[in-house]
Amino acid sequence: MNTISKISEGIYKEKGSKFLAFAHHVESVEEAKTVIAKYKKEHHKARHVCFAYRIGNNAEIYRGCDDGEPAGTAGRPILHQLELGNLTNSMIVVVRYFGGTLLGTGGLARAYKEAAADALNNQTK
């Protein structure tokens, strides 16, 4: 298992919407909730603050949250990026600023996936 070594950011833009991703190292669900609350406060004008985390020696504690997006279009793609990286004690928060054009479920899933992947890719920079 791997973990996130430092806070990193990613971004994805589509049809006026901006998806800002933030990857964090976390040791507990309580710590993850604190990180989520921080982004909800900082980005209070954002339409959605979605997230996923994997915590524990074998990532046995995990959760993805769509925060009002259609079911499975945000939390699941973000969680999948954590799984692909074989990450634990890690989380990604993606903040969406709505641009006025609906993206559809496929477009949303792709946008959340790409934003999360960008944040993880920036871990190595």
mmCIF file of all heavy atoms in Angstrom, residues 45-75:
data_model
loop_
_atom_site.group_PDB
_atom_site.id
_atom_site.type_symbol
_atom_site.label_atom_id
_atom_site.label_comp_id
_atom_site.label_asym_id
_atom_site.label_seq_id
_atom_site.Cartn_x
_atom_site.Cartn_y
_atom_site.Cartn_z
ATOM 1 N N LYS A 45 -19.084 28.962 -2.080
ATOM 2 C CA LYS A 45 -19.889 29.285 -3.259
ATOM 3 C C LYS A 45 -19.907 28.158 -4.287
ATOM 4 O O LYS A 45 -20.610 28.242 -5.288
ATOM 5 C CB LYS A 45 -19.378 30.570 -3.913
ATOM 6 C CG LYS A 45 -19.625 31.793 -3.058
ATOM 7 C CD LYS A 45 -19.213 33.057 -3.765
ATOM 8 C CE LYS A 45 -19.511 34.263 -2.869
ATOM 9 N NZ LYS A 45 -19.131 35.514 -3.517
ATOM 10 N N ALA A 46 -19.154 27.102 -4.035
ATOM 11 C CA ALA A 46 -19.114 25.963 -4.958
ATOM 12 C C ALA A 46 -20.431 25.198 -4.890
ATOM 13 O O ALA A 46 -21.088 25.143 -3.842
ATOM 14 C CB ALA A 46 -17.957 25.034 -4.610
ATOM 15 N N ARG A 47 -20.807 24.593 -6.001
ATOM 16 C CA ARG A 47 -22.051 23.834 -6.067
ATOM 17 C C ARG A 47 -21.918 22.495 -5.325
ATOM 18 O O ARG A 47 -22.839 22.068 -4.634
ATOM 19 C CB ARG A 47 -22.409 23.599 -7.539
ATOM 20 C CG ARG A 47 -23.668 22.824 -7.796
ATOM 21 C CD ARG A 47 -24.962 23.549 -7.490
ATOM 22 N NE ARG A 47 -25.241 24.709 -8.294
ATOM 23 C CZ ARG A 47 -25.920 24.693 -9.425
ATOM 24 N NH1 ARG A 47 -26.377 23.574 -9.912
ATOM 25 N NH2 ARG A 47 -26.153 25.817 -10.063
ATOM 26 N N HIS A 48 -20.763 21.821 -5.480
ATOM 27 C CA HIS A 48 -20.562 20.495 -4.876
ATOM 28 C C HIS A 48 -19.151 20.376 -4.318
ATOM 29 O O HIS A 48 -18.207 20.884 -4.918
ATOM 30 C CB HIS A 48 -20.766 19.387 -5.915
ATOM 31 C CG HIS A 48 -22.093 19.432 -6.588
ATOM 32 N ND1 HIS A 48 -23.239 18.947 -6.012
ATOM 33 C CD2 HIS A 48 -22.469 19.934 -7.787
ATOM 34 C CE1 HIS A 48 -24.260 19.133 -6.830
ATOM 35 N NE2 HIS A 48 -23.809 19.739 -7.921
ATOM 36 N N VAL A 49 -19.020 19.685 -3.183
ATOM 37 C CA VAL A 49 -17.726 19.322 -2.615
ATOM 38 C C VAL A 49 -17.774 17.808 -2.408
ATOM 39 O O VAL A 49 -18.295 17.310 -1.413
ATOM 40 C CB VAL A 49 -17.435 20.071 -1.295
ATOM 41 C CG1 VAL A 49 -16.090 19.637 -0.724
ATOM 42 C CG2 VAL A 49 -17.474 21.577 -1.515
ATOM 43 N N CYS A 50 -17.255 17.092 -3.390
ATOM 44 C CA CYS A 50 -17.300 15.628 -3.390
ATOM 45 C C CYS A 50 -15.959 15.087 -2.916
ATOM 46 O O CYS A 50 -14.940 15.780 -2.997
ATOM 47 C CB CYS A 50 -17.613 15.130 -4.802
ATOM 48 S SG CYS A 50 -19.144 15.828 -5.464
ATOM 49 N N PHE A 51 -15.955 13.838 -2.463
ATOM 50 C CA PHE A 51 -14.707 13.296 -1.927
ATOM 51 C C PHE A 51 -14.728 11.777 -1.915
ATOM 52 O O PHE A 51 -15.775 11.145 -2.071
ATOM 53 C CB PHE A 51 -14.461 13.811 -0.505
ATOM 54 C CG PHE A 51 -15.486 13.347 0.490
ATOM 55 C CD1 PHE A 51 -15.337 12.152 1.163
ATOM 56 C CD2 PHE A 51 -16.616 14.114 0.739
ATOM 57 C CE1 PHE A 51 -16.305 11.718 2.068
ATOM 58 C CE2 PHE A 51 -17.576 13.698 1.648
ATOM 59 C CZ PHE A 51 -17.417 12.495 2.306
ATOM 60 N N ALA A 52 -13.536 11.239 -1.674
ATOM 61 C CA ALA A 52 -13.384 9.811 -1.401
ATOM 62 C C ALA A 52 -12.150 9.651 -0.523
ATOM 63 O O ALA A 52 -11.218 10.453 -0.594
ATOM 64 C CB ALA A 52 -13.218 9.013 -2.686
ATOM 65 N N TYR A 53 -12.188 8.627 0.333
ATOM 66 C CA TYR A 53 -11.011 8.313 1.135
ATOM 67 C C TYR A 53 -10.879 6.813 1.316
ATOM 68 O O TYR A 53 -11.846 6.065 1.165
ATOM 69 C CB TYR A 53 -11.044 9.021 2.497
ATOM 70 C CG TYR A 53 -12.251 8.760 3.370
ATOM 71 C CD1 TYR A 53 -12.442 7.543 4.014
ATOM 72 C CD2 TYR A 53 -13.191 9.762 3.582
ATOM 73 C CE1 TYR A 53 -13.545 7.325 4.833
ATOM 74 C CE2 TYR A 53 -14.290 9.563 4.390
ATOM 75 C CZ TYR A 53 -14.457 8.335 5.021
ATOM 76 O OH TYR A 53 -15.558 8.131 5.826
ATOM 77 N N ARG A 54 -9.638 6.412 1.607
ATOM 78 C CA ARG A 54 -9.307 5.024 1.973
ATOM 79 C C ARG A 54 -8.380 5.117 3.171
ATOM 80 O O ARG A 54 -7.354 5.792 3.115
ATOM 81 C CB ARG A 54 -8.611 4.300 0.821
ATOM 82 C CG ARG A 54 -9.501 4.112 -0.387
ATOM 83 C CD ARG A 54 -8.778 3.398 -1.512
ATOM 84 N NE ARG A 54 -8.571 2.001 -1.145
ATOM 85 C CZ ARG A 54 -7.716 1.203 -1.752
ATOM 86 N NH1 ARG A 54 -6.967 1.627 -2.742
ATOM 87 N NH2 ARG A 54 -7.578 -0.052 -1.370
ATOM 88 N N ILE A 55 -8.747 4.458 4.256
ATOM 89 C CA ILE A 55 -8.014 4.571 5.513
ATOM 90 C C ILE A 55 -7.808 3.181 6.114
ATOM 91 O O ILE A 55 -8.677 2.315 6.015
ATOM 92 C CB ILE A 55 -8.793 5.479 6.512
ATOM 93 C CG1 ILE A 55 -8.947 6.885 5.909
ATOM 94 C CG2 ILE A 55 -8.105 5.531 7.868
ATOM 95 C CD1 ILE A 55 -9.910 7.782 6.667
ATOM 96 N N GLY A 56 -6.663 2.990 6.760
ATOM 97 C CA GLY A 56 -6.362 1.739 7.452
ATOM 98 C C GLY A 56 -5.196 1.027 6.808
ATOM 99 O O GLY A 56 -4.791 1.331 5.680
ATOM 100 N N ASN A 57 -4.661 0.033 7.522
ATOM 101 C CA ASN A 57 -3.507 -0.715 7.017
ATOM 102 C C ASN A 57 -3.776 -1.350 5.658
ATOM 103 O O ASN A 57 -2.881 -1.443 4.823
ATOM 104 C CB ASN A 57 -3.090 -1.801 8.018
ATOM 105 C CG ASN A 57 -2.497 -1.213 9.281
ATOM 106 O OD1 ASN A 57 -1.959 -0.109 9.270
ATOM 107 N ND2 ASN A 57 -2.599 -1.946 10.376
ATOM 108 N N ASN A 58 -4.996 -1.808 5.457
ATOM 109 C CA ASN A 58 -5.368 -2.436 4.188
ATOM 110 C C ASN A 58 -6.503 -1.686 3.501
ATOM 111 O O ASN A 58 -7.267 -2.274 2.742
ATOM 112 C CB ASN A 58 -5.787 -3.891 4.433
ATOM 113 C CG ASN A 58 -4.649 -4.721 4.987
ATOM 114 O OD1 ASN A 58 -3.584 -4.761 4.407
ATOM 115 N ND2 ASN A 58 -4.874 -5.352 6.138
ATOM 116 N N ALA A 59 -6.607 -0.393 3.787
ATOM 117 C CA ALA A 59 -7.656 0.458 3.218
ATOM 118 C C ALA A 59 -9.042 -0.122 3.474
ATOM 119 O O ALA A 59 -9.934 -0.037 2.642
ATOM 120 C CB ALA A 59 -7.429 0.680 1.728
ATOM 121 N N GLU A 60 -9.214 -0.696 4.667
ATOM 122 C CA GLU A 60 -10.485 -1.343 4.993
ATOM 123 C C GLU A 60 -11.615 -0.347 5.265
ATOM 124 O O GLU A 60 -12.787 -0.706 5.218
ATOM 125 C CB GLU A 60 -10.323 -2.316 6.172
ATOM 126 C CG GLU A 60 -9.843 -1.689 7.458
ATOM 127 C CD GLU A 60 -8.320 -1.605 7.601
ATOM 128 O OE1 GLU A 60 -7.593 -1.926 6.647
ATOM 129 O OE2 GLU A 60 -7.881 -1.215 8.684
ATOM 130 N N ILE A 61 -11.261 0.898 5.551
ATOM 131 C CA ILE A 61 -12.268 1.944 5.728
ATOM 132 C C ILE A 61 -12.235 2.808 4.473
ATOM 133 O O ILE A 61 -11.195 3.379 4.136
ATOM 134 C CB ILE A 61 -11.954 2.811 6.966
ATOM 135 C CG1 ILE A 61 -11.898 1.943 8.219
ATOM 136 C CG2 ILE A 61 -12.982 3.926 7.118
ATOM 137 C CD1 ILE A 61 -11.304 2.640 9.434
ATOM 138 N N TYR A 62 -13.351 2.865 3.769
ATOM 139 C CA TYR A 62 -13.379 3.665 2.540
ATOM 140 C C TYR A 62 -14.769 4.237 2.328
ATOM 141 O O TYR A 62 -15.760 3.705 2.808
ATOM 142 C CB TYR A 62 -12.952 2.833 1.326
ATOM 143 C CG TYR A 62 -13.791 1.614 1.096
ATOM 144 C CD1 TYR A 62 -14.917 1.661 0.281
ATOM 145 C CD2 TYR A 62 -13.472 0.400 1.699
ATOM 146 C CE1 TYR A 62 -15.709 0.539 0.082
ATOM 147 C CE2 TYR A 62 -14.244 -0.718 1.505
ATOM 148 C CZ TYR A 62 -15.355 -0.641 0.696
ATOM 149 O OH TYR A 62 -16.139 -1.757 0.496
ATOM 150 N N ARG A 63 -14.799 5.357 1.624
ATOM 151 C CA ARG A 63 -16.076 6.003 1.346
ATOM 152 C C ARG A 63 -15.907 6.956 0.173
ATOM 153 O O ARG A 63 -14.859 7.566 0.015
ATOM 154 C CB ARG A 63 -16.554 6.785 2.563
ATOM 155 C CG ARG A 63 -17.875 7.496 2.300
ATOM 156 C CD ARG A 63 -18.518 8.052 3.547
ATOM 157 N NE ARG A 63 -19.796 8.638 3.153
ATOM 158 C CZ ARG A 63 -20.210 9.831 3.517
ATOM 159 N NH1 ARG A 63 -19.483 10.564 4.328
ATOM 160 N NH2 ARG A 63 -21.367 10.295 3.098
ATOM 161 N N GLY A 64 -16.947 7.071 -0.617
ATOM 162 C CA GLY A 64 -17.019 8.074 -1.671
ATOM 163 C C GLY A 64 -18.323 8.830 -1.499
ATOM 164 O O GLY A 64 -19.323 8.238 -1.126
ATOM 165 N N CYS A 65 -18.310 10.126 -1.749
ATOM 166 C CA CYS A 65 -19.505 10.942 -1.570
ATOM 167 C C CYS A 65 -19.745 11.789 -2.807
ATOM 168 O O CYS A 65 -18.839 12.491 -3.274
ATOM 169 C CB CYS A 65 -19.345 11.837 -0.344
ATOM 170 S SG CYS A 65 -20.705 13.001 -0.131
ATOM 171 N N ASP A 66 -20.988 11.741 -3.327
ATOM 172 C CA ASP A 66 -21.374 12.497 -4.521
ATOM 173 C C ASP A 66 -21.861 13.911 -4.202
ATOM 174 O O ASP A 66 -22.002 14.724 -5.118
ATOM 175 C CB ASP A 66 -22.482 11.748 -5.274
ATOM 176 C CG ASP A 66 -22.028 10.398 -5.796
ATOM 177 O OD1 ASP A 66 -20.900 10.307 -6.303
ATOM 178 O OD2 ASP A 66 -22.808 9.427 -5.697
ATOM 179 N N ASP A 67 -22.141 14.223 -2.966
ATOM 180 C CA ASP A 67 -22.587 15.549 -2.513
ATOM 181 C C ASP A 67 -23.609 16.192 -3.455
ATOM 182 O O ASP A 67 -23.437 17.313 -3.929
ATOM 183 C CB ASP A 67 -21.394 16.480 -2.315
ATOM 184 C CG ASP A 67 -21.788 17.791 -1.608
ATOM 185 O OD1 ASP A 67 -22.653 17.747 -0.707
ATOM 186 O OD2 ASP A 67 -21.235 18.844 -1.969
ATOM 187 N N GLY A 68 -24.657 15.462 -3.755
ATOM 188 C CA GLY A 68 -25.739 16.012 -4.557
ATOM 189 C C GLY A 68 -25.622 15.781 -6.056
ATOM 190 O O GLY A 68 -26.575 16.031 -6.798
ATOM 191 N N GLU A 69 -24.471 15.320 -6.523
ATOM 192 C CA GLU A 69 -24.340 14.951 -7.936
ATOM 193 C C GLU A 69 -25.118 13.639 -8.134
ATOM 194 O O GLU A 69 -25.389 12.921 -7.167
ATOM 195 C CB GLU A 69 -22.865 14.738 -8.313
ATOM 196 C CG GLU A 69 -22.016 15.982 -8.283
ATOM 197 C CD GLU A 69 -22.210 16.905 -9.483
ATOM 198 O OE1 GLU A 69 -23.302 16.901 -10.099
ATOM 199 O OE2 GLU A 69 -21.277 17.646 -9.797
ATOM 200 N N PRO A 70 -25.474 13.300 -9.380
ATOM 201 C CA PRO A 70 -26.154 12.020 -9.610
ATOM 202 C C PRO A 70 -25.333 10.851 -9.044
ATOM 203 O O PRO A 70 -24.103 10.866 -9.095
ATOM 204 C CB PRO A 70 -26.245 11.940 -11.139
ATOM 205 C CG PRO A 70 -26.245 13.369 -11.580
ATOM 206 C CD PRO A 70 -25.339 14.083 -10.607
ATOM 207 N N ALA A 71 -26.037 9.874 -8.496
ATOM 208 C CA ALA A 71 -25.388 8.745 -7.814
ATOM 209 C C ALA A 71 -24.307 8.109 -8.674
ATOM 210 O O ALA A 71 -24.522 7.786 -9.842
ATOM 211 C CB ALA A 71 -26.430 7.701 -7.430
ATOM 212 N N GLY A 72 -23.132 7.952 -8.075
ATOM 213 C CA GLY A 72 -22.029 7.258 -8.722
ATOM 214 C C GLY A 72 -21.201 8.099 -9.679
ATOM 215 O O GLY A 72 -20.251 7.596 -10.275
ATOM 216 N N THR A 73 -21.517 9.389 -9.832
ATOM 217 C CA THR A 73 -20.797 10.199 -10.819
ATOM 218 C C THR A 73 -19.600 10.943 -10.241
ATOM 219 O O THR A 73 -18.793 11.477 -11.000
ATOM 220 C CB THR A 73 -21.721 11.233 -11.489
ATOM 221 O OG1 THR A 73 -22.235 12.113 -10.487
ATOM 222 C CG2 THR A 73 -22.853 10.564 -12.238
ATOM 223 N N ALA A 74 -19.471 10.991 -8.922
ATOM 224 C CA ALA A 74 -18.373 11.752 -8.317
ATOM 225 C C ALA A 74 -17.555 10.899 -7.347
ATOM 226 O O ALA A 74 -16.370 10.662 -7.565
ATOM 227 C CB ALA A 74 -18.910 12.993 -7.612
ATOM 228 N N GLY A 75 -18.186 10.444 -6.281
ATOM 229 C CA GLY A 75 -17.467 9.670 -5.267
ATOM 230 C C GLY A 75 -16.823 8.413 -5.808
ATOM 231 O O GLY A 75 -15.664 8.108 -5.496
#
